[in-house]
Amino acid sequence: MAKGRKIKRVKSLYKPRKSRSRKAIEVAVMLAVICTLGFVGWSIGSAIFNYSPPNEQPVGRDALGAPEIEPEMHEDGTPGTSYPTPDEPDPPVALPTHFNAITAPSSVLDNVSSLAAYIRQAELSGFNAVVLEIKDSTGHLFYESGFEPIQGSDIIRGTLTAEQIFAAFEETGVKPILRLNTLLDRLAPSVLADVSYVFETGGRWADDRLENGGKLWANPFLQGTRDYHLFIVDELVNAGFTDIILANMTFPHFRNYDRSVIAAEFTAPATRYNGLTGFVNALEVSSATFYLEMTVRDVVESYAGFGGTAEILRGRRYLDGFELLLVYNKEDFGTEYRTGEHSTVALPADTGALVSLVFKQAENQTSGFEITPFLNRDNLTDREITDILGVFTELGYENFVIR
C-alpha cells in the first residue's frame, strides 16, 4: 500500500521559561484534575455506559426536527412567500495544541454510546485528550479492521469502524490518541504468514512450550509483521487519527538454547536494534505523529547500552521525527538503581524528588527527542500523584498521559 513519508519537523530543543504565575496556575489546574481522577477512571458505572439522550422535541421545531418558519405577510394582510435564511455553519472545533490525556479502558469501544459518554466525562473532569488502546498486548484489535487475512479470526474484537470511533471525537475538542501494541502479540503470529519467529529447521518458535503457557511473538525484521502493522496504521490515519503510540517494541528474552535455534540476525544484542528501527520507519506516514513508548527506568539504566523497552534507542540516529513517551511505574524504582556493573546510586525517598531526578536524567540520555511523560497510577497515593504532576509542570512538559 502506498504511503507518504514523514516530513521532518524542526523543533527547538529548548522550551521557553515559564513565569512563576503561569506555573502556579498550571499546578492549580492539575490539582483540580487529580480531584476527579477516580471518577474518570471508569468508576462511572453502568449509568454512563447505558446513557442515551432524552427524546425531547425542541421548542419551535416541527415533527421532523426542522425549524418552524413564521409566514411572511403582505401589507394587505394576505400571506406571502417566505424563504428561510440558511444557518451559518459552525466553525470546526479546534483540537488542543497541548494535551493532558487519560487512558480509557477497552470497554469504552463496545459501542458509540459508551465511547461518547466517556469522552464527555473525561472533558468535564479536565482532560482534553483520551488514549484508546486499539490493539492490546495479546493481539486483539478493538475496531473493525478490513485486513482480509484476519477476517473470521479471534483477532478482531471491535464492532466499531475506525471512522465511527474518530467521528465520536469530532466537534468535542477532545483529541483522540491511539495506543498500538506491536511486537508483544501472540495472535497474529498464529494466523498470519511471515510474522512469527521460527526455528532455523522450520516451525514457529514460542518463548516456552505452548502447553506451558508459552507465547508467540511478532518478529520486527519480517515483512509480514511490517505489512500487517502498516495496514493498521494506514486504516487509522485514513480515518482521521493523527497521534499514535507504538508500545511494546521489544524482543523476547532469548536464552542460550533459543540463540542456538534462531537466526543470529534476530537475537544478537549488539545489532538487532536494526529490526526495531526498520520496523517503526516502515510504519511512519507524513500525516501522523508517532510516540515510541518505553519506561523511564529502561532509559536511565543504560550504562551497558539501552535495553528492554528502550532498546530501539541504540539506533537513535535512524529515528528522525519520532517522539518519546516515557512511562513512570512506581515499582520500577526502589532505594537505588544501577549505574554500572558494580556501581549503584541512591535514590531520593521523596516521590517528587525521585521523579524529577529520573526524568532529568532521561532528558540527558535522549537529548534531541521530544518527551511526553506517562504516569501509571498503580500503587500511588493521591498525594504522590499530585506531587508527580507538579514535577511534570516544573520540568516544562506541555503534554502528559495518565493511566
Side-chain angles (χ1 to χ4, degrees):
M1 179 178 296
K3 68 185 187 73
R5 300 307 306 161
K6 191 174 184 73
I7 300 172
K8 182 177 179 180
R9 299 189 299 274
V10 179
K11 297 185 179 180
S12 172
L13 302 183
Y14 301 93
K15 296 183 173 68
R17 184 178 298 275
K18 299 183 181 181
S19 68
R20 292 179 181 271
S21 60
R22 180 179 175 186
K23 287 182 179 179
I25 292 171
E26 289 180 336
V27 171
V29 171
M30 286 186 182
L31 291 176
V33 170
I34 290 300
C35 293
T36 58
L37 281 177
F39 190 58
V40 176
W42 215 240
S43 58
I44 302 171
S46 60
I48 288 185
F49 275 117
N50 298 323
Y51 172 83
S52 59
N55 185 21
E56 297 179 357
Q57 178 63 41
V59 176
R61 291 180 177 268
D62 64 20
L64 297 178
E68 295 177 352
I69 302 169
E70 293 293 332
E72 186 178 291
M73 305 298 289
H74 292 301
E75 291 183 0
D76 60 2
T78 59
T81 302
S82 178
Y83 298 95
T85 302
D87 294 334
E88 289 291 329
D90 293 330
V93 177
L95 290 176
T97 303
H98 302 294
F99 59 82
N100 52 303
I102 185 72
T103 303
S106 58
S107 57
V108 305
L109 294 175
D110 286 348
N111 53 67
V112 172
S113 296
S114 295
L115 179 57
Y118 191 90
I119 295 169
R120 284 194 298 271
Q121 193 56 58
E123 188 173 23
L124 288 173
S125 299
F127 295 95
N128 64 5
V130 170
V131 174
L132 299 172
E133 187 164 68
I134 207 71
K135 177 175 180 274
D136 69 11
S137 57
T138 300
H140 293 121
L141 290 177
F142 291 97
Y143 79 102
E144 269 198 354
S145 173
F147 192 57
E148 184 61 32
I150 63 173
Q151 300 305 307
S153 73
D154 189 46
I155 291 177
I156 299 178
R157 286 287 181 89
T159 58
L160 302 178
T161 65
E163 288 77 12
Q164 287 175 308
I165 296 171
F166 183 78
F169 286 88
E170 291 186 296
E171 307 306 324
T172 66
V174 175
K175 176 192 286 288
I177 302 172
L178 301 181
R179 185 170 183 263
L180 180 67
N181 281 279
T182 55
L183 305 180
L184 188 56
D185 183 339
R186 69 178 66 181
L187 295 179
S190 65
V191 174
L192 303 175
D194 201 34
V195 171
S196 178
Y197 290 93
V198 295
F199 295 100
E200 287 190 297
T201 56
R204 288 195 299 265
W205 172 91
D207 58 12
D208 198 352
R209 292 183 180 275
L210 296 179
E211 59 268 26
N212 294 335
K215 300 181 294 295
L216 301 173
W217 288 67
N219 184 339
F221 285 90
L222 300 182
Q223 194 61 44
T225 301
R226 299 181 182 190
D227 289 345
Y228 173 48
H229 288 87
L230 175 58
F231 190 98
I232 293 171
V233 166
D234 278 346
E235 275 190 320
L236 299 174
V237 171
N238 289 336
F241 295 100
T242 59
D243 294 74
I244 299 175
I245 298 168
L246 300 177
N248 285 316
M249 289 172 298
T250 58
F251 290 100
H253 175 66
F254 292 119
R255 294 164 292 191
N256 289 334
Y257 168 75
D258 300 320
R259 294 189 181 94
S260 71
V261 295
I262 299 175
E265 176 188 11
F266 307 147
T267 62
T271 58
R272 67 184 187 182
Y273 68 83
N274 290 304
L276 301 176
T277 57
F279 171 73
V280 298
N281 277 290
L283 306 186
E284 195 180 22
V285 293
S286 60
S287 54
T289 299
F290 289 86
Y291 305 85
L292 308 180
E293 181 184 307
M294 58 195 67
T295 68
V296 68
R297 176 176 178 168
D298 283 345
V299 172
V300 298
E301 286 196 344
S302 55
Y303 63 91
F306 292 109
T309 59
E311 186 169 349
I312 193 172
L313 293 180
R314 290 176 179 243
R316 56 188 300 167
R317 63 188 179 277
Y318 303 120
L319 298 175
D320 182 49
F322 290 94
E323 301 189 15
L324 304 183
L325 186 71
L326 301 189
V327 183
Y328 175 78
N329 299 302
K330 182 177 182 177
E331 63 270 19
D332 283 348
F333 297 95
T335 59
E336 61 184 21
Y337 71 84
R338 189 171 297 280
T339 57
E341 189 173 353
H342 304 291
S343 61
T344 60
V345 62
L347 294 173
D350 177 74
T351 299
L354 168 62
V355 172
S356 179
L357 172 67
V358 297
F359 271 87
K360 285 179 180 177
Q361 180 63 23
E363 289 178 354
N364 292 335
Q365 299 286 82
T366 62
S367 177
F369 286 97
E370 288 285 331
I371 291 176
T372 295
F374 187 160
L375 174 60
N376 180 3
R377 289 180 288 156
D378 289 349
N379 304 315
L380 290 172
T381 66
D382 289 346
R383 175 58 185 271
E384 288 174 324
I385 295 171
T386 302
D387 290 346
I388 292 170
L389 292 183
V391 168
F392 290 163
T393 298
E394 289 297 319
L395 293 178
Y397 294 121
E398 300 285 2
N399 306 325
F400 67 84
V401 178
I402 292 178
R403 177 171 57 201

